[in-house]
Amino acid sequence: MDDAKTIKGTVKTAFVKSYGCQMNVYDAIRMEELLAAEGYGLADAPEHADLVILNTCHIREKAAEKVYSELGKLKRLKAERQLEGRDFKIAVAGCVAQAEGEEIIRRQKAVDLVFGPQTYHRLPELLKEQARTGRAVIETEFPAEDKFDALAEKSLRTKQGVAAFLTIQEGCDKFCSFCVVPYTRGSEFSRPVAQVLSEARKLAEQGVVELTLLGQNVNAYRGGGADGESNLAALVAELSRIDGIKRIRYMTSHPRDMTDALIEAHATNDKLMPYLHLPIQAGSDRVLKAMNRGHTAEHYIRLIERIRQARPDMAMSGDFIVGFPGESEKDFEETLALVRLVNYAAAFSFKYSARPGTPAAEHAQVPEEVKAERLQRLQALLTEQLQAFNHSMVGKTLPILVEKNGRHEGQMIGRSPYLQSVHCELPESALGQIVRVQIVGTMPNSLSGQYVGESA
Ligand code: SAH
Ligand code: SF4
Ligand code: F3S
């Protein structure tokens, strides 16, 4: 603990800023817990911290480049601190750290620590090593030991809200031709069932009611269980037996790993929420092939039909890339046609971004203005669908999990089964409860409702 004290004896503080996906959010929380166990306090801004960790994302060029402008600001902060004779450490974690390693120090000398998504459990040792040597420390090897075992030993699962993320699977072996994840997160691995259950129980003891299971290909989960290899359907069944856990979600799923057992679970398990993030990226088979997605548009459409047979109210969400190398206007129109057919409740869409080291980056690129125009058309259609979905809720009574205080006095914010944010006048004692709320209106990013009664 002494390491976390300054000479004057005040507690050191850390600020962790996360970019990118939910898995980075989960990792950032685990880093904070780890630092808390080392005696650090949490700062509310970099200006108030002694250690700033940028937990970075490499998925698109913009995300990766943002890190360097952020580092420029932190460098100035560090210089000010040094004039005052005070310490200030800058760390770069996450997927940019994994992908760029030493290059980060070369571009920004003020950085003290660089470590990847598979090495952050070593953070306390890395900080000590940096303090001892006074030199920048880089740790981006994929270690042999189990990160999650090490984390379980060192940090508690503390200070959780009502809903929490839980990583169950990491890495990817699919190698879509546009994607850096197989390189930044490493090859696919699943956490053992017992380890996941133990973490889920700890979360439930802290008051967590809703679990979102995370994985780059979460439905490819193959964790070791009591009778050999398990799968996501079996894991969800076990998790739903934990007292206190009332809702389960999982993301991101791959269309190739959507098993019959998992689809069946949506028909039979009430704790499994009717919301599925199942990206396809593009609607043209030619583009899907060039992307190395390993399935056709037809496969995806049939899959969704079967999922909706199992769970008629299933809200679908997806990811799309426009302007993939070689995408023609006709290919793009097939994406629009697929979107019309599926009818999404939510979606993320991006302009293709050429990433170093990925096969698609080597091909002739679609002009920037064509990408921009396609993205605009796609987003207009998706926004229309999302708004129609939200409007279709008006008049319905939904079970809402109350998650936090709203902006106004007496107002609380909760979540619908379909992941919509719902505002409602409720007493604070409703926090963590599932209540019945009648939806009365829609706002751009949320719904408003009136309390009807306790959930059955
Ligand atoms: N494992 C998930 C996706 C992880 S990355 C899956 O297979 O669906 C999250 C999203 O970022 C992807 O679904 C894709 O839409 C987008 N993305 C990934 N690489 C990209 C790139 N090079 N350019 C633009 N968008 C990209
Ligand atoms: Fe990336 Fe494809 Fe793996 Fe998803 S499945 S993480 S898009 S390589
Ligand atoms: Fe970004 Fe890494 Fe997630 S590249 S999307 S933070 S897995």
Side-chain angles (χ1 to χ4, degrees):
M1 300 285 137
D2 286 341
D3 293 307
K5 304 259 175 77
T6 61
I7 321 151
K8 293 182 206 110
T10 50
V11 173
K12 280 201 179 187
T13 58
F15 181 77
V16 187
K17 181 165 182 184
S18 228
Y19 304 82
C21 63
Q22 280 89 347
M23 198 170 285
N24 257 13
V25 175
Y26 173 87
D27 291 342
I29 293 171
R30 307 276 351 224
M31 285 180 218
E32 288 175 355
E33 291 172 349
L34 203 51
L35 290 167
E38 291 286 311
Y40 277 80
L42 286 184
D44 56 0
E47 291 74 21
H48 305 142
D50 306 293
L51 164 68
V52 174
I53 301 177
L54 301 182
N55 195 28
T56 60
C57 173
H58 196 59
I59 203 81
R60 283 167 292 274
E61 191 182 352
K62 246 196 207 142
E65 282 304 310
K66 200 160 20 170
V67 176
Y68 291 99
S69 56
E70 202 65 31
L71 284 176
K73 285 186 221 153
L74 292 176
K75 176 196 170 179
R76 288 192 286 279
L77 208 51
K78 185 173 182 167
E80 284 168 25
R81 290 295 177 86
Q82 279 167 340
L83 282 179
E84 295 165 11
R86 285 166 62 200
D87 206 19
F88 185 75
K89 299 265 186 267
I90 304 173
V92 180
C95 291
V96 176
Q98 190 62 45
E100 297 186 3
E102 270 176 48
E103 174 67 18
I104 294 174
I105 312 264
R106 234 172 281 136
R107 279 182 69 177
Q108 183 46 270
K109 302 217 162 31
V111 172
D112 300 290
L113 282 170
V114 175
F115 53 95
Q118 305 309 345
T119 38
Y120 69 79
H121 58 290
R122 291 187 182 164
L123 180 53
E125 292 97 285
L126 299 178
L127 282 166
K128 280 177 199 133
E129 188 185 332
Q130 200 283 326
R132 189 167 47 77
T133 62
R135 275 204 296 269
V137 171
I138 304 168
E139 177 73 286
T140 52
E141 294 299 308
F142 289 114
E145 78 267 12
D146 187 312
K147 170 176 81 184
F148 295 102
D149 273 342
L151 285 172
E153 258 171 52
K154 287 186 203 162
S155 67
L156 300 163
R157 302 275 12 225
T158 47
K159 262 193 356 114
Q160 299 294 324
V162 169
F165 293 133
L166 204 181
T167 294
I168 64 165
Q169 181 277 340
E170 237 190 292
C172 181
D173 294 338
K174 294 214 164 49
F175 292 93
C176 298
S177 60
F178 52 81
C179 183
V180 294
V181 171
Y183 313 100
T184 63
R185 291 271 166 177
S187 52
E188 234 168 80
F189 78 92
S190 298
R191 298 177 64 184
V193 171
Q195 202 191 51
V196 172
L197 291 176
S198 151
E199 189 172 329
R201 280 190 207 103
K202 273 189 207 157
L203 290 171
E205 281 162 21
Q206 303 285 335
V208 169
V209 176
E210 177 177 299
L211 282 179
T212 300
L213 310 177
L214 299 180
Q216 265 90 30
N217 289 292
V218 73
N219 54 348
Y221 177 80
R222 299 272 179 279
D227 330 305
E229 205 178 74
S230 187
N231 56 57
L232 184 56
L235 182 71
V236 165
E238 293 207 52
L239 287 167
S240 29
R241 284 194 279 275
I242 295 177
D243 268 349
I245 300 298
K246 296 189 183 135
R247 288 180 163 190
I248 300 173
R249 305 177 186 275
Y250 58 91
M251 75 181 297
T252 296
S253 295
H254 196 288
R256 266 156 67 192
D257 297 311
M258 208 64 215
T259 62
D260 292 346
L262 189 55
I263 296 175
E264 178 62 20
H266 279 284
T268 54
N269 188 338
D270 287 342
K271 291 192 178 177
L272 209 45
M273 288 295 101
Y275 178 95
L276 184 63
H277 185 59
L278 191 68
I280 181 165
Q281 316 295 354
S284 138
D285 285 343
R286 216 174 59 81
V287 173
L288 287 171
K289 189 150 190 264
M291 286 178 164
N292 193 31
R293 290 292 289 180
H295 64 85
T296 59
E298 177 74 14
H299 169 86
Y300 181 80
I301 290 161
R302 293 285 156 265
L303 198 55
I304 291 179
E305 276 172 11
R306 285 170 48 219
I307 293 164
R308 283 183 169 151
Q309 265 158 23
R311 184 80 209 216
D313 66 335
M314 183 68 82
M316 294 303 307
S317 139
D319 290 349
F320 297 92
I321 295 176
V322 301
F324 184 80
E327 184 191 68
S328 65
E329 172 64 21
K330 184 173 164 289
D331 290 321
F332 173 65
E333 279 166 15
E334 288 180 36
T335 299
L336 294 178
L338 178 127
V339 169
R340 284 195 198 96
L341 201 64
V342 172
N343 198 6
Y344 288 90
F348 302 93
S349 48
F350 314 98
K351 285 189 273 188
Y352 168 75
S353 166
R355 306 304 293 127
T358 60
E362 310 293 319
H363 297 122
Q365 304 294 310
V366 170
E368 195 53 36
E369 59 278 13
V370 176
K371 288 189 204 172
E373 189 260 348
R374 286 183 190 163
L375 186 66
Q376 206 195 351
R377 277 154 74 198
L378 176 61
Q379 290 188 337
L381 174 60
L382 289 167
T383 305
E384 221 175 83
Q385 295 190 344
L386 179 147
Q387 285 171 350
F389 181 72
N390 284 345
H391 280 298
S392 76
M393 296 292 140
V394 176
K396 285 190 181 148
T397 298
L398 300 176
I400 303 300
L401 171 60
V402 185
E403 283 187 5
K404 56 184 180 199
N405 289 81
R407 229 183 302 152
H408 309 295
E409 176 93 30
Q411 186 193 52
M412 300 295 283
I413 301 177
R415 241 173 241 286
S416 80
Y418 314 107
L419 215 58
Q420 295 145 305
S421 194
V422 180
H423 297 248
C424 186
E425 303 273 310
L426 280 168
E428 232 180 290
S429 58
L431 193 71
Q433 313 272 322
I434 296 176
V435 295
R436 286 187 297 133
V437 169
Q438 184 176 40
I439 306 304
V440 295
T442 64
M443 288 163 281
N445 298 308
S446 58
L447 305 175
S448 60
Q450 276 163 4
Y451 176 76
V452 173
E454 305 265 300
S455 182

